[in-house]
Amino acid sequence: MTVRVRMAPSPTGFLHIGGVHTFLFNWLYARGRGGECLLRIENTDTSREVTEAVDQIQRSLAWIGIDWDRPVTFQLDAMERCRELAAKLVADGAAYEDEGAIRFRMPDDGSTGWDDAVRGRIEVPNAQLEDVVIVRSDGRATYNFASPVEDMDDGITHVIRGEDHISNTPKQIQILRALGHEPPVYAHLGSILGPDGKKLSKRHGAVSVDEFRAAGYLSEALVNFLALIGWAPDGETTEMTVAEIVERFTLEAVSSSPGTFDYAKLDWLNGRYLRALTPDAYADRLLVFLHEQSIGWDKERVRAAAPLVQEKIGRFEEFPGMVGFLFGFVDPDVTLLDPAILAAAGKAFDPVEPWVAAGIEVALKALCEELGRKPKEVFLPIRVAVTGSRISPGLYESLELLGKDTSLARIRAHAAAS
RNA sequence: GGCCCAUUCGUCUAGUGGCCUAGGACACCGCCCUCUCACGGCGGCGGCACGGGUUCGAAUCCCGUAUGGGCCUCCA
């Protein structure tokens, strides 16, 4: 039997990272088994639909690298089909009308259970199952009816979703059986929580795919990170390519307990990915990021500056702050400046030709010697005068890139009169 | 309240009865490297929620308790 899964977002807003996590696991499972992964928009609640959401969801998935097979489907398109099946259930006595709506008749005795692919056997007393509304009084099917119906019609073999759906599962199984269809395999994933143990939300930090993108995370780092929440190939491996994750992923190895979203670990992992990029690839990705952020800095200059920060930042978001001094004026904190040292530096740099890092280094070392001061004491005021901050890329390289004229101008602007 | 799910270092996890004196990674702390910040290297801190069983032997199996979460909508 060919595996077929589905990703079923509701178009109520941006794509939440928790949803991406669920979709990723569906996608990994299908891709690792030569199966199909469908995208179904569950929009039966028209009142909550957000216009831009459908496009945005697809864009977010594309950026993450999660693709899908066959055209996108919309649950609202299955309403007619759902009404027909509901009518059939009423005719069979399995459902009944109630104030204009149609309710499915749940059994009162016994229990409904299934072998959850990640949790094992789950059994729920049927007495807990109320007669759910399957068609609203306005004729639209509800989620609990449309979803299993579409799973049936689409030939879904595995329903991989969040644990908040566990209590819907026995109801959907009953409905499917009444329809004469054998239920798919269900797999319920643990939720993703914020650092405080509550459901991950806006106040914890970035939650939508767009936010992670705008913060300068690499999609492959995000995928790697997400894969490791609730799943691990072994006890050692943490850095894996998508291909490797696809190859090693199994539902059996998925954990059933909830996981906390650790932003610090994501930052570390993203930094690892960033540093592993070749200088060219790094600059390419950085340029794409800056373009998305509407930062129109000179491309060649950005390429030249990129290598200076590749080892220093964990997200592209940090780039502008780190090298802004190369693209605009600086406003140094004068209390960190030392006019005497700056005056001496101005003189020491004057004869340096050509203006390259190696020559600058020699001049700077000689200056330290001459002043009888330690490098860190001499470098600080120069760094602040030139970059506007006590934290910057390497000083020699920064000076070289800034250019001799600008560098000297910034140094002399705060130097003691001679 | 009812039903269901979960519980290994602060965090993500390895572990499926003896290999565990519980391993790895992030975070944190210290040292080294060093022009700042980082990176990198080395080392350290730190955990099987609790209580009963079962067993020669339990993080692993069973029961209970506690804690956290989910659902109980003509939401998905």
Side-chain angles (χ1 to χ4, degrees):
Chain A
M1 179 176 66
T2 307
V3 166
R4 186 177 292 154
V5 301
R6 84 300 201 275
M7 305 184 283
S10 45
T12 51
F14 53 74
L15 188 55
H16 190 278
I17 199 70
V20 175
H21 178 257
T22 303
F23 298 161
L24 175 65
F25 279 35
N26 272 279
W27 185 84
L28 290 171
Y29 187 69
R31 290 292 173 259
R33 267 145 278 270
E36 281 188 285
C37 184
L38 274 37
L39 178 59
R40 173 205 302 164
I41 307 293
E42 301 204 321
N43 58 345
T44 54
D45 184 3
T46 48
S47 67
R48 294 205 308 158
E49 183 158 358
V50 175
T51 321
E52 291 300 310
V54 174
D55 284 344
Q56 194 171 35
I57 287 167
Q58 295 185 66
R59 245 185 293 119
S60 293
L61 286 174
W63 178 73
I64 285 283
I66 295 177
D67 59 357
W68 55 92
D69 305 295
R70 306 205 267 176
V72 179
T73 60
F74 294 84
Q75 197 154 69
L76 215 46
D77 294 337
M79 294 301 101
E80 191 54 49
R81 163 76 169 154
C82 287
R83 275 190 292 272
E84 286 168 15
L85 289 174
K88 181 170 171 290
L89 289 175
V90 172
D92 293 348
Y96 59 93
E97 257 188 76
D98 176 34
E99 296 194 33
I102 298 175
R103 284 184 184 275
F104 181 84
R105 204 184 301 282
M106 291 292 172
D108 299 321
D109 305 316
S111 66
T112 304
W114 72 97
D115 292 307
D116 197 280
V118 328
R119 288 163 199 263
R121 188 74 189 170
I122 297 179
E123 201 90 29
V124 179
N126 288 335
Q128 285 297 315
L129 275 32
E130 71 282 10
D131 292 355
V132 292
V133 169
I134 56 176
V135 178
R136 298 177 173 87
S137 49
D138 67 3
R140 282 173 11 250
T142 57
Y143 160 78
N144 264 325
F145 189 51
S147 191
V149 164
E150 287 214 280
D151 288 340
M152 172 178 78
D153 288 351
D154 288 340
I156 299 301
T157 60
H158 296 70
V159 170
I160 303 168
R161 56 186 10 177
E163 64 180 327
D164 46 330
H165 284 290
I166 290 178
S167 50
N168 286 326
T169 305
K171 301 173 193 169
Q172 299 181 0
I173 287 174
Q174 285 296 337
I175 290 171
L176 252 12
R177 289 207 177 121
L179 256 18
H181 190 258
E182 196 52 34
V185 172
Y186 292 98
H188 290 94
L189 275 22
S191 328
I192 294 187
L193 276 19
D196 58 357
K198 305 291 180 193
K199 215 169 168 116
L200 189 66
S201 71
K202 192 75 186 166
R203 65 198 171 83
H204 296 120
V207 285
S208 74
V209 173
D210 284 356
E211 286 173 303
F212 285 101
R213 184 176 183 172
Y217 289 100
L218 255 25
S219 62
E220 53 269 49
L222 200 49
V223 165
N224 192 156
F225 173 73
L226 250 19
L228 258 17
I229 299 180
W231 176 77
D234 53 56
E236 320 294 309
T237 315
T238 58
E239 294 177 57
M240 286 170 286
T241 61
V242 176
E244 191 176 353
I245 297 171
V246 166
E247 188 193 325
R248 303 184 68 173
F249 184 83
T250 63
L251 284 178
E252 292 66 43
V254 171
S255 157
S256 50
S257 49
T260 304
F261 196 97
D262 185 352
Y263 289 91
K265 184 174 180 182
L266 206 214
D267 283 357
W268 166 78
L269 192 58
N270 198 61
R272 296 279 303 180
Y273 272 81
L274 247 21
R275 276 170 247 127
L277 254 23
T278 63
D280 277 349
Y282 185 87
D284 290 343
R285 304 284 293 259
L286 176 57
L287 250 6
V288 169
F289 170 81
L290 292 174
H291 177 72
E292 287 175 1
Q293 295 305 303
S294 303
I295 295 175
W297 288 349
D298 180 78
K299 288 189 169 54
E300 286 317 304
R301 204 157 173 72
V302 168
R303 281 189 180 280
L308 306 199
V309 301
Q310 187 165 3
E311 297 246 315
K312 297 180 182 296
I313 64 178
R315 283 166 279 137
F316 282 144
E317 185 182 45
E318 300 168 71
F319 182 76
M322 202 68 165
V323 301
F325 70 93
L326 292 170
F327 300 87
F329 296 104
V330 295
D331 183 21
D333 175 352
V334 291
T335 65
L336 296 173
L337 268 15
D338 183 323
I341 288 179
L342 292 174
K347 280 193 190 119
F349 284 150
D350 206 34
V352 175
E353 210 60 63
W355 186 252
V356 293
I360 292 167
E361 178 174 2
V362 171
L364 231 22
K365 290 276 170 61
L367 177 62
C368 293
E369 199 92 359
E370 179 193 325
L371 295 174
R373 308 282 291 271
K374 291 183 169 165
K376 55 172 56 176
E377 298 171 338
V378 176
F379 286 26
L380 177 68
I382 298 175
R383 184 190 308 284
V384 171
V386 169
T387 71
S389 168
R390 54 193 310 168
I391 298 170
S392 80
L395 190 53
Y396 319 137
E397 294 78 9
S398 294
L399 287 165
E400 176 187 330
L401 239 191
L402 224 210
K404 190 173 182 180
D405 291 349
T406 307
S407 295
L408 283 178
R410 287 183 186 178
I411 288 169
R412 285 175 176 148
H414 299 280
S418 49

